[in-house]
């Protein structure tokens, strides 16, 4: 067998060396998948906290003389977020529509909220306001679920008078991205109540009013519009 000469060995070695260096360079320059992987996105990015939502609620100056905030009904989720939850939209406890936090009737909970309640010391009329913030497209789902619930709640029994409350709902234009109005009437009441849910992006504004002789409709719409406008300002400064 013939063996390569010394000159041939030298040329072979010179040719192999650059290939080895290239292989090492390529290996050390390659990033591992874990090093380049993106961090998980924050599901609450861009969502307002309860402390921020609180600023969007109408101040005491918005309400007529004689109305004062009920301390027991003033709450918010602070500067942290909570885990959202939901249950299938179906016929639920219709009597929840008679409370200040009536949006709970949908079974959908958000990640932050703020609410309070103003009561007239002269007439006992009640005006409640709340804002809930949801992830993704859940805010739109809340309005859809509300319509389904109302469709199954034509009436419910008022716990105070033990009489039937009639429930009527309708889509409402001119408030946020979408809005739905519910009117509660009862022959045993001096005045009915108006509930409005208005979606603005990922936020859902809910108000309740029995202020005035129109089942509280004018006050409810004015209040909902005031909060929707304030929310836009809070998002702009967030």
């Amino acid at each position: 067998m013939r063996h390569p000469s010394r000159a041939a060995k030298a040329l072979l070695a010179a040719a192999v060396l650059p290939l080895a260096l290239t292989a090492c360079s390529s290996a050390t320059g390659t990033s591992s998948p874990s090093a380049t992987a993106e961090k998980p996105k924050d599901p609450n990015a861009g969502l307002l906290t309860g402390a921020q939502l609180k600023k969007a609620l109408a101040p005491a100056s918005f309400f007529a003389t004689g109305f004062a905030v009920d301390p027991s009904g003033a709450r918010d989720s602070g500067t942290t977020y909570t885990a959202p939850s939901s249950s299938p939209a179906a016929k639920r406890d219709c009597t929840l529509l008679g409370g200040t936090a009536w949006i709970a009737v949908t079974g959908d909970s958000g990640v932050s909220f703020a609410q309070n309640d103003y009561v007239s010391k002269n007439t006992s009329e009640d005006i409640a306001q709340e804002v809930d913030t949801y992830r993704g497209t859940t805010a739109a789902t809340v309005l859809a679920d509300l319509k389904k619930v109302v469709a199954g709640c034509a009436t419910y029994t008022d716990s105070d008078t033990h009489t039937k409350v009639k429930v009527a709902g309708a889509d409402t234009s001119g408030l946020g991205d979408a809005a739905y109005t519910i009117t509660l009437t009862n022959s045993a009441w001096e005045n009915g109540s108006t509930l409005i849910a208005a979606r603005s992006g990922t936020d859902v504004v809910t108000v309740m009013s029995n202020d005035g002789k129109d089942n509280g409709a004018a006050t409810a719409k004015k209040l909902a519009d005031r909060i929707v406008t304030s929310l836009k300002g809070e998002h702009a400064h967030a």
Side-chain angles (χ1 to χ4, degrees):
M1 176 183 285
R2 294 184 61 184
H3 295 280
S5 64
R6 288 185 180 181
K9 289 181 178 180
L11 288 173
L12 181 61
V16 171
L17 182 58
L19 291 175
L21 291 174
T22 301
C24 291
S25 176
S26 176
T28 56
T30 302
S31 300
S32 63
S34 60
T36 58
E38 294 184 3
K39 292 182 179 180
K41 292 183 178 180
D42 180 359
N44 300 317
L47 304 182
L48 297 179
T49 65
Q52 292 169 313
L53 295 175
K54 182 179 179 180
K55 297 177 183 178
L57 296 178
S61 59
F62 172 88
F63 301 90
T65 302
F67 279 89
V69 68
D70 177 5
S72 65
R75 298 187 293 275
D76 65 80
S77 54
T79 58
T80 58
Y81 298 97
T82 58
S85 64
S86 64
S87 55
K91 184 175 180 180
R92 307 183 190 280
D93 181 1
C94 301
T95 61
L96 291 174
L97 292 171
T100 55
W102 56 270
I103 195 61
V105 75
T106 65
D108 304 304
S109 66
V111 296
S112 58
F113 78 95
Q115 68 183 71
N116 61 34
D117 185 17
Y118 280 78
V119 180
S120 172
K121 63 181 180 181
N122 301 318
T123 64
S124 296
E125 290 174 326
D126 200 358
I127 305 172
Q129 56 181 341
E130 179 176 349
V131 188
D132 293 86
T133 295
Y134 303 86
R135 292 177 181 171
T137 60
T138 306
T141 301
V142 171
L143 258 67
D145 286 348
L146 180 60
K147 294 178 185 181
K148 293 176 183 177
V149 171
V150 171
C153 289
T155 64
Y156 70 87
T157 301
D158 177 31
S159 60
D160 293 328
T161 62
H162 304 290
T163 54
K164 291 292 184 181
V165 178
K166 293 183 179 180
V167 181
D171 289 319
T172 305
S173 60
L175 288 174
D177 299 317
Y180 190 70
T181 298
I182 303 168
T183 304
L184 309 178
T185 55
N186 186 330
S187 58
W189 294 350
E190 188 173 328
N191 192 29
S193 297
T194 296
L195 319 178
I196 296 178
R199 181 179 69 83
S200 179
T202 55
D203 307 315
V204 175
V205 174
T206 50
V207 302
M208 182 282 292
S209 170
N210 57 20
D211 171 45
K213 300 302 180 182
D214 60 350
N215 297 324
T219 299
K221 188 171 183 178
K222 182 180 178 182
L223 178 57
D225 184 60
R226 167 69 167 73
I227 301 171
V228 167
T229 301
S230 296
L231 280 171
K232 293 178 181 178
E234 288 302 318
H235 277 284
H237 293 97

